[in-house]
Amino acid sequence: MNNDLSKDDDPGADYGADSRPTKSPRKLQTFNSLKNPIYRLYFLGMLGQRASMNMQMMARSLLIWRLTGSAAILGVMSFFNALPMLALSLFGGVIADRVHKKYVLVAGLVGSGLVSLAIALALTMGYLSADRAGSWWILAGASLFQGSIMGLMIPSRQAIIAEIVGEEELMNAISLDSLGMNTLRLTAPALTGFLIDAFDFQAVYYAMTGMYIMGTVFIAFMPLTGKIVVRGGRMIAEIAEGFRYIRHRTTILLILLFTLLAVFFSMPYMMMMPIFADSILKVGATGMGMLISVGGLGAITGSLIFASLPNKKRGLMLLVSSLLLGIALASFSASSSWPLSLTLMVFVGLGQTGRMTLGNTLIQYYVDDEYRGRVMSIYMMEFGLTSFGTFAAGLMAEAVGAQWALGSFATVLVIVSLLALIFVPRIRNLD
């Protein structure tokens, strides 16, 4: 058997069979994918969407916390966003394999903009405020709509990158995509905190609406990419076919399982950030924005590193990134020092971007084109599944405190990463 991974065979018993040919080391080309004009339009369009997402992640959680003062409700809110993602992301994967992905992105951006505008108007007119008991349910309903849109849109958003650039440029393109997102993690939360303190929450949602409009314009100018295979089968049958494909591709299955565990035990920290900012570090909305922003600084550093690296030892880097993320989160959970917490958030961002970029790259690198949308829908569905972890962390924080809850989850992530490093050579040895 040669060193190429046949896409028609089970990449089975010998992990060495998963090696794929790579190019010889190349000159440093950190921004190589941006030379592609179609990728530039995609990149700019997604900046608008990612800016809104980063603003919403902070504004919604802080607004809920100030309306209710309940860590449990913060956890419950994650369900309202996650449940429709779980229900619809698999269908989004089939849509991504059936429909030109540009059309899906435009529809998703327009729908998201309408949701943001509705929240902005509800805040402006006083329907959503601390004076109206139970008005936080408006945010819950908006989260349901937003989760539905994301579930149908994200598989196309991820899978379209491979249609724009070649396989050997995937890590560079995905890293630059992460760079754009992480740059916004550095700037958007600080801007969000300023807007909240200066003008209140409705200013954030109006700004988000503008960002979605900007993203829609750029994506609308993109040409159509990829080929659409016309299928006569039902969507349920195609979803089942996607699961059968993953079951017989051991490498893809193992990466999916590991990323599920890594996301499950790491993502609750975002839900708990308002508690750390208001009750533990006592730095308010502006301080919370700074915490998230310095996490973005670490993530930007990671994105630049991964965009510059050749396609070597990516499996090992995935596991080490998750280990670093777990150690940084465990240390952050124990800190009550503002300077130390800021420093640790840099390493949280570095570990998080490594886990996201490398997991995404490896899955897309090894998947067959005709299954890409469905596999990416299962990959993105993990983020919905991990909301159960966020909910559990919220309940745990209510019972024993946010520091113990986050520390416990981070410790499990450290253990899982170490076990994978030692006992799962199939991932560790992937290039």
Side-chain angles (χ1 to χ4, degrees):
M1 187 176 188
N2 61 29
N3 288 331
D4 293 353
L5 173 62
S6 172
K7 291 186 176 183
D8 296 320
D9 298 329
D10 180 359
D14 181 8
Y15 61 79
D18 283 326
S19 299
R20 289 180 57 158
T22 57
K23 295 181 179 179
S24 59
R26 55 191 172 96
K27 294 181 180 179
L28 195 65
Q29 296 183 4
T30 305
F31 300 100
N32 201 47
S33 294
L34 287 173
K35 297 176 183 177
N36 184 326
I38 302 175
Y39 182 80
R40 286 199 300 270
L41 286 171
Y42 167 83
F43 182 84
L44 292 170
M46 289 301 99
L47 280 184
Q49 196 244 356
R50 262 66 181 267
S52 299
M53 283 181 60
N54 278 281
M55 295 174 79
Q56 177 178 262
M57 284 171 62
M58 175 179 169
R60 184 174 61 191
S61 61
L62 188 60
L63 180 56
I64 284 291
W65 174 249
R66 291 187 176 177
L67 288 174
T68 67
S70 170
I73 291 179
L74 275 172
V76 168
M77 277 297 294
S78 66
F79 271 120
F80 289 101
N81 197 16
L83 289 177
M85 288 184 66
L86 284 173
L88 298 175
S89 63
L90 293 174
F91 295 96
V94 175
I95 291 170
D97 287 334
R98 282 185 172 186
V99 180
H100 282 295
K101 298 169 183 62
K102 167 187 170 177
Y103 298 145
V104 182
L105 297 184
V106 169
L109 288 166
V110 170
S112 297
L114 291 174
V115 172
S116 295
L117 180 59
I119 294 296
L121 293 173
L123 286 164
T124 300
M125 293 185 289
Y127 292 116
L128 180 58
S129 72
D131 296 331
R132 287 179 175 261
S135 63
W136 66 273
W137 279 98
I138 296 175
L139 282 177
S143 294
L144 283 171
F145 281 109
Q146 188 70 61
S148 300
I149 292 168
M150 296 300 285
L152 294 172
M153 173 188 176
I154 287 182
S156 292
R157 189 187 76 185
Q158 296 296 320
I160 198 173
I161 298 176
E163 294 181 352
I164 298 172
V165 301
E167 280 188 343
E168 295 303 321
E169 294 294 335
L170 256 180
M171 188 164 82
N172 179 264
I174 292 173
S175 296
L176 290 177
D177 194 38
S178 296
L179 175 64
M181 178 180 67
N182 292 325
T183 301
L184 291 167
R185 281 185 61 192
L186 180 64
T187 56
L191 173 62
T192 303
F194 169 76
L195 288 174
I196 292 171
D197 287 340
F199 304 105
D200 217 343
F201 287 92
Q202 62 264 29
V204 177
Y205 283 92
Y206 283 121
M208 287 168 52
T209 303
M211 292 296 101
Y212 281 123
I213 293 172
M214 184 197 81
T216 303
V217 171
F218 281 114
I219 298 300
F221 278 105
M222 281 180 59
L224 298 177
T225 59
K227 297 179 180 178
I228 300 302
V229 179
V230 179
R231 298 181 178 91
R234 295 179 302 171
M235 295 186 81
I236 297 296
E238 291 192 39
I239 291 171
E241 184 183 358
F243 276 107
R244 285 194 297 270
Y245 171 82
I246 291 172
R247 188 183 57 171
H248 291 98
R249 295 302 186 274
T250 310
T251 296
I252 295 174
L253 178 61
L254 285 173
I255 297 170
L256 285 171
L257 289 174
F258 178 76
T259 54
L260 169 62
L261 292 172
V263 174
F264 187 93
F265 290 110
S266 66
M267 287 307 290
Y269 87 92
M270 285 302 300
M271 178 272 294
M272 296 185 192
M273 200 58 68
I275 306 174
F276 279 87
D278 271 2
S279 302
I280 297 170
L281 299 171
K282 302 185 187 303
V283 292
T286 301
M288 178 178 167
M290 290 179 64
L291 282 169
I292 299 173
S293 291
V294 296
L297 179 63
I300 288 171
T301 303
S303 296
L304 289 171
I305 291 171
F306 295 122
S308 305
L309 292 175
N311 298 331
K312 296 288 186 180
K313 299 187 181 299
R314 292 182 292 187
L316 177 63
M317 289 190 292
L318 169 64
L319 299 178
V320 171
S321 295
S322 295
L323 178 61
L324 173 64
L325 176 59
I327 293 171
L329 283 174
S331 302
F332 176 83
S333 70
S335 171
S336 57
S337 165
W338 174 238
L340 177 59
S341 296
L342 284 173
T343 303
L344 289 168
M345 282 302 298
V346 174
F347 292 97
V348 170
L350 181 61
Q352 192 76 284
T353 198
R355 179 197 60 73
M356 292 174 62
T357 299
L358 293 161
N360 191 337
T361 299
L362 286 169
I363 289 172
Q364 294 216 50
Y365 191 70
Y366 286 99
V367 71
D368 292 307
D369 290 342
E370 61 267 32
Y371 291 95
R372 190 179 305 278
R374 279 166 285 180
V375 171
M376 292 312 297
S377 74
I378 295 169
Y379 172 71
M380 299 312 300
M381 190 175 69
E382 294 179 348
F383 291 89
L385 287 169
T386 54
S387 290
F388 289 94
T390 302
F391 176 59
L395 294 179
M396 189 174 179
E398 194 86 4
V400 300
Q403 290 179 291
W404 278 104
L406 180 59
S408 300
F409 272 62
T411 300
V412 176
L413 176 59
V414 170
I415 294 170
V416 168
S417 300
L418 285 172
L419 290 175
L421 271 167
I422 297 169
F423 296 111
V424 191
R426 181 182 285 273
I427 296 179
R428 187 182 67 232
N429 293 335
L430 285 176
D431 280 338

